[in-house]
Amino acid sequence: MITYEDGRLRALAEGGRWPELLAAYRQGRAAAVAEAGEEAAAALTAPLGHLIAYAAPPELAVRLFDRAGGAGTAAGVADHDAGPLWEVLATRHSWLRLAPLLGPAPVRRLVAHTRVLLGEDLSHGAEPDPEGVPLCLEPWEASGWDEAARVREYLPEGGARSALLTLPASREGLGEVELPPSVEQPEGRPDGPRAARALAGLGALAPWAATVCVLGRAPAAAALLARDRRVVGGYLPFALAYPALVRAAAVGRAQGCAHGRLGLWRALSAMAAMAGPDAPGGTGEADRAGEVDGADGADGVNRGEVNALVARMRCFTWQEPSAGLHHLHLALEDPVGGVAWAVSGSQEL
């Protein structure tokens, strides 16, 4: 099987012979698909794909995702080495360079949202997002983390650096808190499709973590997942919790931070819808069906409702006695809707 480790391919890369490297990638991927299937082919050819996405001119690098080469030759959204190949590409070039070149809609969308996370405002320079997720960062998205830490930093010959997912990261600002009794009562649990969508949205962000939803305040939700009633915990602004929620979706190498941003907007939209039209910034049922600016039908997001929810959200975080290298312990409370959600889990590298 052809991989980047082959000396011949290294020589081609050093000589800038990118068309030949792309041809080798396509040939190797198609052969691997025929022999071992799509998943195995993606893994075997990923190192060479990473090199092309990282170092090739954008006019050639985007052709990794072009199906014109024939069956099995094109990378998909799940092809990854240190991270998704489309995310590697998105960290290397601006949207202005990539927009006229990118073809497949799923790849194009993820690249666009990666560029948004990196600080580009595409609200007037790209096609609208199909779910209505804004193509520029809201102030609360931008304020919680440095631009350089929002997406993995990829290395030329493979590998990447990324900020660790740790919330809480330390005991700073936290104190001893006694959580309420965690007796699970059916009548204390929200029900209905909106509650299910909100909970599913959080679960999709961090499939390695447990999630719950309760009628009540954030500590009551935390109590269902915390190991002990007495914890070291405290409240923090949602803007400081936002980076961890986005990164939660990108703990594995197959997904990028764009997945996290899109998933979190879906979850927040479902949470906001539970508060009803009387919430600050809320709208009526007709508006939720897509008749207001920023919404896109039942599966879209309402930008105004999400911003209003974030403005009033109360976020509670707590420490656990033992946590993996990646860990997330967070409860989110909407005081208007009287509903709280919690997500808690840890994962070793």
Side-chain angles (χ1 to χ4, degrees), residues 25-59:
Y25 174 86
R26 287 175 165 177
Q27 176 188 356
R29 197 181 188 287
V33 168
E35 181 179 339
E38 184 73 27
E39 186 175 346
L44 288 168
T45 56
L48 179 54
H50 177 105
L51 172 69
I52 295 170
Y54 184 94
E59 293 79 7

Side-chain angles (χ1 to χ4, degrees), residues 10 12 19 24 30 87 90 97 111 132 155-156 219 244 264 274 299 334:
R10 286 182 178 274
L12 291 176
E87 188 173 70
R97 291 290 304 278
V111 168
L155 306 177
L264 184 54
M274 290 181 65
D299 295 326
D334 180 0

Side-chain angles (χ1 to χ4, degrees), residues 161-188:
R161 302 186 186 99
S162 60
L164 287 178
L165 164 62
T166 54
L167 186 70
S170 70
R171 295 174 63 101
E172 184 178 355
L174 307 181
E176 293 284 339
V177 178
E178 184 157 344
L179 300 176
S182 58
V183 178
E184 298 189 28
Q185 298 176 342
E187 62 270 20

Side-chain angles (χ1 to χ4, degrees), residues 145-308:
W145 54 357
D146 295 331
E147 184 176 312
R150 294 176 191 164
V151 180
R152 297 178 181 96
E153 178 191 355
Y154 289 100
L155 306 177
E157 295 186 1
R161 302 186 186 99
S162 60
L164 287 178
L165 164 62
T166 54
L167 186 70
S170 70
R171 295 174 63 101
E172 184 178 355
L174 307 181
E176 293 284 339
V177 178
E178 184 157 344
L179 300 176
S182 58
V183 178
E184 298 189 28
Q185 298 176 342
E187 62 270 20
R189 295 218 179 240
D191 197 5
R194 289 177 180 169
R197 281 198 297 271
L199 199 54
L202 276 182
L205 283 174
W208 43 271
T211 55
V212 295
C213 181
V214 300
L215 294 173
R217 302 183 65 182
L224 292 176
L225 299 180
R227 291 190 183 184
D228 302 305
R229 284 188 60 191
R230 185 170 293 277
V231 298
V232 175
Y235 286 90
L236 75 164
F238 182 79
L240 297 183
Y242 174 78
L245 288 167
V246 171
R247 289 189 189 119
V251 166
R253 296 180 178 183
Q255 296 206 97
C257 285
H259 285 112
R261 181 173 189 253
L262 290 167
L264 184 54
W265 270 87
R266 292 186 198 108
L268 290 172
S269 185
M271 292 175 181
M274 290 181 65
D278 295 329
T283 59
E285 292 298 326
D287 287 342
R288 277 200 194 88
E291 296 178 10
V292 293
D293 183 37
D296 184 27
D299 295 326
V301 304
N302 187 301
R303 185 174 180 176
E305 286 189 351
V306 169
N307 283 331

Side-chain angles (χ1 to χ4, degrees), residues 57-214:
E59 293 79 7
L60 186 135
V62 297
R63 294 171 62 191
L64 282 169
F65 310 99
D66 185 355
R67 298 184 181 89
T73 61
V77 294
D79 284 51
H80 64 281
D81 186 32
L85 299 187
W86 53 263
E87 188 173 70
V88 179
L89 177 67
T91 63
R92 302 296 295 161
H93 307 284
S94 69
W95 181 251
L96 186 65
R97 291 290 304 278
L98 294 173
L101 307 170
L102 280 169
V107 172
R108 187 177 179 88
R109 185 189 188 201
L110 290 166
V111 168
H113 282 281
T114 304
R115 294 309 309 174
V116 169
L117 281 169
L118 291 172
E120 283 198 60
D121 183 347
L122 305 186
S123 53
H124 300 292
E127 57 272 20
D129 182 80
E131 291 180 278
V133 178
L135 288 171
C136 62
L137 292 179
E138 296 295 320
W140 49 267
E141 292 184 275
S143 64
W145 54 357
D146 295 331
E147 184 176 312
R150 294 176 191 164
V151 180
R152 297 178 181 96
E153 178 191 355
Y154 289 100
L155 306 177
E157 295 186 1
R161 302 186 186 99
S162 60
L164 287 178
L165 164 62
T166 54
L167 186 70
S170 70
R171 295 174 63 101
E172 184 178 355
L174 307 181
E176 293 284 339
V177 178
E178 184 157 344
L179 300 176
S182 58
V183 178
E184 298 189 28
Q185 298 176 342
E187 62 270 20
R189 295 218 179 240
D191 197 5
R194 289 177 180 169
R197 281 198 297 271
L199 199 54
L202 276 182
L205 283 174
W208 43 271
T211 55
V212 295
C213 181
V214 300

